[in-house]
Amino acid sequence: MKAKTPSQQGFSLIELLIVVAIIGIIAAITVTYLLQAKQAARGASAAHSMRLIHSCEAAYRASSGSYGDLTDLSNGKFLNDPDLRTGRKSGYVFTATPDAVTPTQNYTAVSSPDDPTSNLQNYYVDGTGVLRVKVGAPADGSSDTVN
C-alpha cells in the first residue's frame, strides 16, 4: 500500500473557507428573497380578506338592511373564516365599522399590519367595493386603488 503525501490528505483551510463563504452568500440571498415572498403573500392574503369582507357586508346588508361589523358578520353566518372572525389574519389586523350616521348606506373596513412601524401595505374598502391601498400608512378613501 502506498502512503499518502501531506498534499493529498484532504482540503486545505483556504478551500474550506471559500466554500463556507459561498454557502453564506447563497444563504443571505435566499433569505432576502424568502422574506420578500412572505411579505407579498401576506399582502395578497390581506387584499383577499378585504374583498371577502366586502362580499360579506353586501350579503349582510341585503339580509338585514344595514351594514355590520365583524362580529355581526360572524354571528349572522356570513363570515366563516375563523381567523378573520377574530380580526387578525396573516399578520394583519382587520376592522369593519358601519357608518355611524347611516349604517344602511355605508361602512368602512381597514386592514393594517400587526407591526405599525413596518413599511407594508395597508388596505381600505367601503360600501363602493373599491379596494384601496397605501404603503407604510393607514389607507383611506383617497388612497390608490388596487387593480
Side-chain angles (χ1 to χ4, degrees):
M1 192 189 263
K2 196 173 183 182
K4 293 184 179 180
T5 62
S7 65
Q8 296 176 338
Q9 288 184 352
F11 296 109
S12 71
L13 182 60
I14 297 296
E15 291 170 330
L16 290 175
L17 287 174
I18 290 172
V19 168
V20 168
I22 290 171
I23 290 172
I25 291 169
I26 291 171
I29 292 170
T30 303
V31 166
T32 301
Y33 283 114
L34 179 65
L35 290 175
Q36 288 175 352
K38 183 178 176 182
Q39 295 300 346
R42 287 176 57 197
S45 175
H48 172 74
S49 295
M50 292 298 285
R51 288 185 177 105
L52 177 64
I53 288 172
H54 174 69
S55 296
C56 293
E57 286 284 6
Y60 184 82
R61 181 177 180 230
S63 173
S64 70
S66 65
Y67 291 109
D69 58 17
L70 292 179
T71 303
D72 295 332
L73 299 177
S74 298
N75 292 340
K77 305 291 185 208
F78 293 95
L79 183 59
N80 295 323
D81 186 324
D83 292 327
L84 199 50
R85 285 178 164 191
T86 65
R88 290 185 177 276
K89 183 177 181 182
S90 301
Y92 276 79
V93 177
F94 295 86
T95 59
T97 310
D99 188 78
V101 178
T102 55
T104 60
Q105 299 298 317
N106 202 17
Y107 77 95
T108 57
V110 249
S111 66
S112 303
D114 276 340
D115 179 9
T117 62
S118 67
N119 200 24
L120 298 177
Q121 295 173 326
N122 294 262
Y123 295 94
Y124 170 93
V125 70
D126 59 14
T128 64
V130 177
L131 184 60
R132 299 184 178 277
V133 64
K134 191 170 196 176
V135 177
D140 56 27
S142 63
S143 300
D144 295 333
T145 59
V146 175
N147 296 331

